[in-house]
Amino acid sequence: WLWRLLAPSRLSARVRGHLAGRRLQRGVRALGEGEWSRAEKQFQIASGGGWSYLGQMGAAFAAQRLGKRSARDGFLQAAESDQEGGLLALWLRLHWRVQEGDGKVGAELEEQLAHLPDNQPLRELAAQLAEQQQDWHRLYQHVKRLPANRVTLSRLRQLWRGRMRMQAEADGDDHSR
C-alpha cells in the first residue's frame, strides 16, 4: 500500500498536479493585479500539469486582455475538448468574436446551433450578431426561439420592433419623394 502511494509515477503525478495548482493560483493573482503577460504564462504552465481546462481558460482571458486574439482562440479551442467545460469555452470564444464584429463567426455560430438548437446562450449570441449585421429576419428567427422570461429576450424584441419601425419609416420616406 505504501509503495503504491510513493511509487515514482504516482508521486511525480501528484507533485506535478500540486505545482500546476500553485501556478494556477499565481495566474489568478496576476490577473487580479492586471499583470496579463505573467498571468498568461502561469496559466500556460498550469495547463500542462493536470489543470488543463482551468489553465487554458485563464490563459485565454489573459491573452484577450493582451489583445492576442489568435492565442486566445487557440487556448479556448483547446479548452473546448473538455467534456464538462467545453461549452463554456465555445461560448466565450464565439462571444468575443461577436463583440469584435467578426463577420465570419456567423457560419460557425449557426453550425453550433444546428448541433445545439436549444442552447440559449448560443441563441442569444446569434441574435446579437444578427442585430449587429442588421439582419432582421435572422434576428426574429433567433429571438422567437428564446424563452419569454429571458431579460435579453425583451431587450431584443424591443430592439427588433424599433428597428423595424425605423426601416418602415425609411421605406416610406423613400416612396414619398
Side-chain angles (χ1 to χ4, degrees), residues 131-149:
E131 189 272 327
Q132 283 178 1
Q133 296 174 341
Q134 298 183 355
D135 185 339
W136 309 123
H137 176 72
R138 205 171 48 167
L139 175 60
Y140 174 72
Q141 294 302 317
H142 291 302
V143 166
K144 74 179 186 178
R145 296 205 47 198
L146 291 171
N149 65 348

Side-chain angles (χ1 to χ4, degrees), residues 27-108:
V28 169
R29 190 173 321 119
L31 281 180
E33 295 169 355
E35 297 287 337
W36 314 124
S37 293
R38 191 178 73 191
E40 181 183 19
K41 183 178 180 180
Q42 295 298 322
F43 284 127
Q44 280 180 304
I45 293 168
S47 69
W51 292 87
S52 61
Y53 176 74
L54 292 176
Q56 290 160 347
M57 292 295 285
F61 183 80
Q64 168 69 14
R65 297 298 299 194
L66 290 166
K68 297 163 66 175
R69 291 179 181 171
S70 61
R72 172 204 69 200
D73 287 346
F75 291 129
L76 289 172
Q77 284 175 335
E80 285 174 32
S81 65
D82 184 83
Q83 286 183 335
E84 295 174 11
L87 195 55
L88 174 60
L90 170 69
W91 179 86
L92 191 56
R93 183 171 58 81
L94 295 175
H95 168 77
W96 277 330
R97 289 181 61 200
V98 167
Q99 294 298 324
E100 294 162 355
D102 182 352
K104 297 176 184 176
V105 73
E108 185 177 358

Side-chain angles (χ1 to χ4, degrees), residues 100-140:
E100 294 162 355
D102 182 352
K104 297 176 184 176
V105 73
E108 185 177 358
L109 196 47
E110 293 298 329
E111 181 182 321
Q112 293 298 331
L113 280 170
H115 298 317
L116 302 162
D118 297 326
N119 186 285
Q120 294 172 15
L122 288 178
R123 180 90 37 211
E124 288 172 1
L125 268 181
Q128 182 180 352
L129 180 64
E131 189 272 327
Q132 283 178 1
Q133 296 174 341
Q134 298 183 355
D135 185 339
W136 309 123
H137 176 72
R138 205 171 48 167
L139 175 60
Y140 174 72

